[in-house]
Amino acid sequence: MLPEKFVLADRVLQVAPSPTLAVNAKAKALKAAGADVLNFSVGEPDMPTPVHVCEAGKRAIDQGHTRYTPVAGIVELRAAICAKVKADHDWAYEPDQVQVCCGGKHGLYNIFQAILNPGDEVLIPAPYWVSYPPMVQLAGGTPVIVPLAEANNFDLDPEVLAGYVTAKTKAIVLNSPSNPTGAVFSQKALAAVAQMAYKNGWLVISDDMYEELTYTDVRIPHILHADPRLKEQTVISNGVSKSFAMTGWRIGWSIGPMEVIRAMNRIQSQSTSNPAAPSQYAALAALQGPQEFPGRLREAFIPRRAFFVDALQSIPGVTCVTPKGAFYVFPNFSAYYGKSCNGQVIEGSVSLADYLLSEAKVATVPGAAFGADAFIRFSFATSMEVIVKGMERIKIALAALQ
Ligand code: PLP
């Protein structure tokens, strides 16, 4: 017990606890009690890290790469990251414009810490990845949530966006393909938003974590292709967590203007120093070794996505936009809100997720966590068998709601 007069920092109290926690805690308790819980809440590929990557991590330890590295990460890895964006996108960056950090999440945290002053506003299209608003708040900034419409396939709408711009707008976060919707922003919308960003001098934060996991034949649009002038005011966030099934290795990176990266290095030098050395060597092997792994993930996800979307769309009252990337489906269940079963009233996404867990033994993430209460997020980074079984249970549970 803390002393009676001891108070925690205001900044902690500012950040709301995640609405997913309640469902997660309940899922764990049910599992521990022996219940057959099907888990659709996972945000990581269901394949192991490629063997050659694991071997590189082990070799790094054997070779003595077990000490501090430069704050921004080993230069070989930063050079490999530059080579990758050059090959993939024809963008020219120097290793000094790259910071390697402890996962994409940490990189985004560093960006906000480096750029925000109290009152600075950051435009965040919603549905958004859960961590953007609290990260902005923890850096003293103000998240400004810009709704995206399901009817518009969750694409950016520059006219809607314009309504949220103020003199305090300092940055915008773009995440395409998106977690949780799987949406890919259109070239047209990105070009219009690029023009706004350029004219107003905003920093663009492009979270490209799922760029390797897309279900289209053509390369997806990117704001830096829409308007290359933005390179001087864009920070790209990416990593190996999703594309190489390396969530536990904790390696991500940010690429951008030298001044911003230097400021982020200052923050990193006073917090984590550097990401784990063996993990950096493993990430280097991922980038320099065979590149077929993300394609294998895609191949595995394609039939699951097709089955999931069809099954959801066949449920009365449910709508579901087909995801163009990532490994989530984000159906709209609001037609079931206000209904009940055995006295359990479905008030919104949190109570629906709770109901699906208790009645169908299916763990999901409520849309409220992503700023979109009409929806529920399902991850299809799980086996087809689990998906088929889960959908059967969900249909039965929904049919029981009156
Ligand atoms: N950005 C998005 C959109 C994500 O979904 C995630 C992880 O779920 C991250 C960033 C962070 O990834 P990492 O595990 O590398 O921190």
Side-chain angles (χ1 to χ4, degrees):
M1 274 292 256
L2 285 169
E4 204 181 319
K5 285 189 180 156
F6 191 93
V7 282
L8 292 169
D10 290 345
R11 84 178 70 83
V12 174
L13 306 175
Q14 235 187 28
V15 175
S18 161
T20 60
L21 287 185
V23 173
N24 272 340
K26 202 167 167 198
K28 276 193 184 146
L30 281 171
K31 257 199 157 154
D36 170 26
V37 177
L38 304 177
N39 196 353
F40 293 101
S41 68
V42 220
E44 57 186 350
D46 58 331
M47 284 190 197
T49 306
V51 172
H52 73 279
V53 174
C54 296
E55 291 300 332
K58 292 183 211 168
R59 218 169 28 247
I61 295 172
D62 290 340
Q63 290 175 347
H65 295 301
T66 54
R67 296 168 174 268
Y68 294 131
T69 74
V71 166
I74 55 172
V75 73
E76 301 93 307
L77 178 54
R78 285 182 284 136
I81 292 162
C82 293
K84 177 169 171 55
V85 293
K86 178 73 184 157
D88 289 353
H89 294 281
D90 201 26
W91 296 329
Y93 287 97
E94 298 296 322
D96 282 353
Q97 292 179 277
V98 180
Q99 179 189 68
V100 182
C101 45
C102 309
K105 184 182 255 181
H106 180 221
L108 290 157
Y109 185 87
N110 282 346
I111 295 170
F112 294 125
Q113 290 291 326
I115 66 160
L116 295 179
N117 281 317
D120 285 345
E121 294 178 0
V122 180
L123 298 167
I124 302 177
Y128 48 72
W129 179 50
V130 285
S131 294
Y132 301 138
M135 280 183 184
V136 168
Q137 284 174 311
L138 286 170
T142 306
V144 175
I145 308 304
V146 182
L148 302 176
E150 182 188 14
N152 192 25
N153 291 325
F154 299 111
D155 196 6
L156 285 170
D157 184 331
E159 274 178 36
V160 171
L161 186 75
Y164 291 84
V165 175
T166 74
K168 292 181 183 165
T169 306
K170 184 144 185 191
I172 180 167
V173 180
L174 300 177
N175 176 219
S176 171
S178 148
N179 174 5
T181 64
V184 164
F185 295 146
S186 67
Q187 172 76 17
K188 191 168 165 231
L190 283 172
V193 171
Q195 214 173 23
M196 291 165 84
Y198 189 73
K199 194 179 87 194
N200 294 298
W202 305 333
L203 190 82
V204 176
I205 299 158
S206 184
D207 181 354
D208 300 348
M209 186 51 79
Y210 295 93
E211 79 166 346
E212 306 271 357
L213 299 175
T214 60
Y215 307 105
T216 58
D217 292 333
V218 289
R219 191 173 68 188
I220 62 165
H222 193 283
I223 193 144
L224 283 191
H225 292 306
D227 191 339
R229 292 177 307 176
L230 278 182
K231 190 161 169 264
E232 303 305 318
Q233 58 191 77
T234 297
V235 181
I236 294 162
S237 174
N238 210 327
V240 281
S241 296
K242 315 286 173 171
S243 50
F244 282 90
M246 289 179 71
T247 46
W249 296 79
R250 308 311 300 133
I251 295 292
W253 55 80
S254 307
I255 316 171
M258 195 90 79
E259 298 90 322
V260 177
I261 298 296
R262 269 200 206 122
M264 291 168 61
N265 287 341
R266 236 193 259 189
I267 305 265
Q268 184 149 293
S269 76
Q270 300 292 8
S271 50
T272 59
S273 293
N274 60 262
S279 293
Q280 292 189 56
Y281 284 92
L284 182 62
L287 295 188
Q288 291 186 330
Q291 293 300 299
E292 81 270 357
F293 188 78
R296 274 182 35 217
L297 285 179
R298 264 195 309 273
E299 291 303 311
F301 292 152
I302 285 170
R304 303 177 194 176
R305 176 186 77 132
F307 177 86
F308 229 137
V309 171
D310 279 356
L312 286 163
Q313 285 175 345
S314 74
I315 301 175
V318 175
T319 52
C320 181
V321 174
T322 303
K324 292 190 181 135
F327 42 75
Y328 310 102
V329 275
F330 203 55
N332 184 329
F333 281 103
S334 56
Y336 288 86
Y337 296 175
K339 298 191 177 202
S340 62
C341 177
N342 298 330
Q344 190 174 351
V345 183
I346 306 302
E347 284 153 356
S349 63
V350 174
S351 53
L352 180 58
D354 202 32
Y355 170 74
L356 291 177
L357 184 58
S358 54
E359 282 305 303
K361 304 288 181 289
V362 162
T364 60
V365 184
F370 309 96
D373 195 41
F375 305 84
I376 295 275
R377 192 194 77 174
F378 295 80
S379 160
F380 49 86
T382 186
S383 73
M384 195 63 157
E385 193 193 342
V386 167
I387 295 172
V388 171
K389 208 162 146 189
M391 280 315 304
E392 278 167 15
R393 292 191 193 175
I394 288 162
K395 281 183 186 169
I396 294 168
L398 290 175
L401 290 170
Q402 301 292 322

